[in-house]
Amino acid sequence: MASHRKWSPPGSRRTGIRTPVLATAALTSVALLSQTANAAPPAEPRPSLEEVEKKVDDLYHQAETATEKYNATREKTAKQRKRVDSLLDDVARRTEKLNTAREELGSFAAAQYRTGASAPGSASLLLADTPQDYFDQTQLMNRLTTRQKAAVDDYVTEQASTSKKREEASRSLRTLTTSQDALKTSKADVQGKLAAARDLLSKLTADEKARLAAIAKKKREEADREAARLAAERSAAEKKARDTAPPPGTSSGTTGTSGTTATDSSYTAKAGKAIAFARAQVGKPYVWGATGPGSYDCSGLTQAVWKAAGVTLPRTTYDQVNAGTTVPLSAIEPGDLVFFYGDISHVGLYVGDGMMIHAPKPGAYVREESIFYGGESIIHSVVRPA
């Protein structure tokens, strides 16, 4: 008997069964989707060397700005701490004086009690907490001598004054606490900027570091050329001034080259002392917040060098820029302070021929360098401090 089973073409689908070809394709698709889902996000493009250099320079500049803010806050905090200490000492002396006066007033009250001028218990009230309430009683006050009444008045006055001093000390303590918190914040800000700069530099390859050094060298060479140009211009101006000077014995006024006030001999002498001190600091490390003698930040150095010449400067660049006479760059003289950036966050001591001595930045050392190290555009002003 012939078979009646129906013929099925190859590759056809039976109920509940998927052909091997389709199953393999499905599994492959699932695997690819799974790999795509679990793949790490694409890495960010590596910054160019120029971008790294700019970012590092910006971070160092921000760190120096934060350093000057830290210096200002630390100076303010130190002054507040001295004031608090002084107030607390004053309150302690006043309290001791009040205790002595209180004992004397207690003896007055006790004497009055023994004579029957007051009710029992009044003396003990005086000797406890509220002597003024007790002495306000007319009966007792009428029996006190003139000297005793004066002692009572003095006590009441001193008590009120001491209370005010205590309140003032409490306010100063709260202000000091706020300043100390701000000091911690400023310190953390500086440290954060420096850590970010170090992190960027640590990721450079040896070749990138070499290229970065080459870029820095090229900038120094350009800065040195600018310094030489300034020196030549100053020399030419001085020669012209000498050639056109009136004969000896005639009045020539007090203007120097470029129409500015000429420096006098006393300034020249002081500037010489400041420069000599600065040269002795060359090679010492930059440490933010430092004022010497082993290390300096930029304003700590300029403060120290002029102190050696007998001139007291404020601590920060923000204050030093106002501690003297502003002169144009064309009239700059050795000893002048050169300030940089719009936020006045850096300063150096001009030593002549377009050069200065300064504490550059973290990781560097006090050195002599062109005032054009970052280009003329970042020079903010020139100040003659004495």
Side-chain angles (χ1 to χ4, degrees):
M1 179 181 291
S3 172
H4 295 286
R5 186 171 60 184
K6 191 173 183 179
W7 175 80
S8 297
S12 65
R13 181 176 180 270
R14 296 183 180 178
T15 304
I17 300 176
R18 187 182 297 271
T19 63
V21 174
L22 292 177
T24 301
L27 290 172
T28 302
S29 298
V30 171
L32 288 174
L33 288 172
S34 177
Q35 290 175 3
T36 302
N38 295 327
E44 294 184 4
R46 185 178 178 83
S48 68
L49 194 60
E50 290 73 17
E51 290 173 334
V52 171
E53 181 200 24
K54 184 179 185 307
K55 183 63 176 176
V56 169
D57 287 345
D58 286 346
L59 285 168
Y60 277 137
H61 178 205
Q62 292 171 29
E64 198 159 34
T65 300
T67 294
E68 290 304 309
K69 291 180 180 178
Y70 169 84
N71 291 338
T73 303
R74 186 172 67 173
E75 188 175 39
K76 179 181 178 182
T77 301
K79 289 179 180 179
Q80 288 173 335
R81 185 177 290 110
K82 287 182 180 179
R83 175 166 177 75
V84 167
D85 290 343
S86 177
L87 284 169
L88 291 176
D89 288 344
D90 187 27
V91 168
R93 286 192 298 269
R94 288 172 179 271
T95 300
E96 185 177 359
K97 184 178 178 182
L98 278 175
N99 289 338
T100 301
R102 189 179 182 196
E103 291 175 2
E104 294 177 357
L105 294 179
S107 66
F108 297 160
Q112 295 303 319
Y113 173 71
R114 284 193 298 270
T115 61
S118 58
S122 297
S124 62
L125 177 62
L126 171 65
L127 293 173
D129 298 315
T130 56
Q132 184 177 352
D133 291 344
Y134 180 79
F135 282 116
D136 279 344
Q137 299 176 48
T138 303
Q139 183 181 22
L140 177 59
M141 291 301 293
N142 288 339
R143 295 181 61 84
L144 294 178
T145 65
T146 301
R147 183 178 69 83
Q148 291 170 340
K149 289 179 180 179
V152 172
D153 291 339
D154 289 344
Y155 180 88
V156 172
T157 300
E158 186 66 23
Q159 188 181 46
S161 178
T162 300
S163 179
K164 289 182 179 179
K165 284 293 181 181
R166 286 197 183 100
E167 292 174 359
E168 186 178 356
S170 296
R171 289 194 300 271
S172 294
L173 277 171
R174 289 193 294 270
T175 302
L176 177 59
T177 300
T178 300
S179 293
Q180 288 172 331
D181 291 342
L183 191 62
K184 292 178 182 178
T185 300
S186 295
K187 184 176 182 179
D189 191 19
V190 176
Q191 292 172 331
K193 298 293 190 302
L194 295 180
R198 287 192 296 267
D199 182 60
L200 278 174
L201 291 173
S202 69
K203 294 177 180 177
L204 296 178
T205 65
D207 178 64
E208 287 173 328
K209 289 178 181 178
R211 288 163 53 200
L212 200 61
I215 293 173
K217 181 181 178 182
K218 185 177 179 180
K219 286 185 176 181
R220 285 196 302 271
E221 291 171 349
E222 176 61 27
D224 289 343
R225 285 193 291 271
E226 285 296 300
R229 176 190 60 77
L230 177 63
E233 289 176 356
R234 292 288 294 139
S235 179
E238 290 167 359
K239 183 178 183 302
K240 181 179 179 180
R242 289 194 300 269
D243 292 344
T244 58
T250 60
S251 175
S252 61
T254 59
T255 58
T257 58
S258 303
T260 61
T261 301
T263 53
D264 57 28
S265 58
S266 65
Y267 178 79
T268 302
K270 291 176 183 177
K273 291 180 180 178
I275 292 171
F277 183 90
R279 292 196 187 283
Q281 311 314 305
V282 171
K284 294 183 179 180
Y286 177 106
V287 174
W288 65 276
T291 57
S295 58
Y296 299 90
D297 62 19
C298 68
S299 56
L301 177 64
T302 50
Q303 183 186 50
V305 300
W306 269 105
K307 182 179 180 181
V311 177
T312 300
L313 293 181
R315 174 63 182 94
T316 67
T317 54
Y318 313 128
D319 293 325
Q320 289 182 9
V321 74
N322 297 315
T325 303
T326 301
V327 298
L329 180 61
S330 60
I332 193 170
E333 296 283 352
D336 291 349
L337 300 179
V338 188
F339 294 89
F340 298 88
Y341 303 107
D343 58 3
I344 320 175
S345 58
H346 189 66
V347 62
L349 178 77
Y350 187 68
V351 296
D353 294 332
M355 307 295 284
M356 67 177 174
I357 293 176
H358 68 147
K361 61 184 179 180
Y365 297 83
V366 175
R367 66 191 182 208
E368 185 170 335
E369 189 168 28
S370 168
I371 63 173
F372 300 102
Y373 76 103
E376 187 172 350
S377 63
I378 70 167
I379 297 178
H380 176 273
S381 57
V382 178
V383 171
R384 192 157 295 157

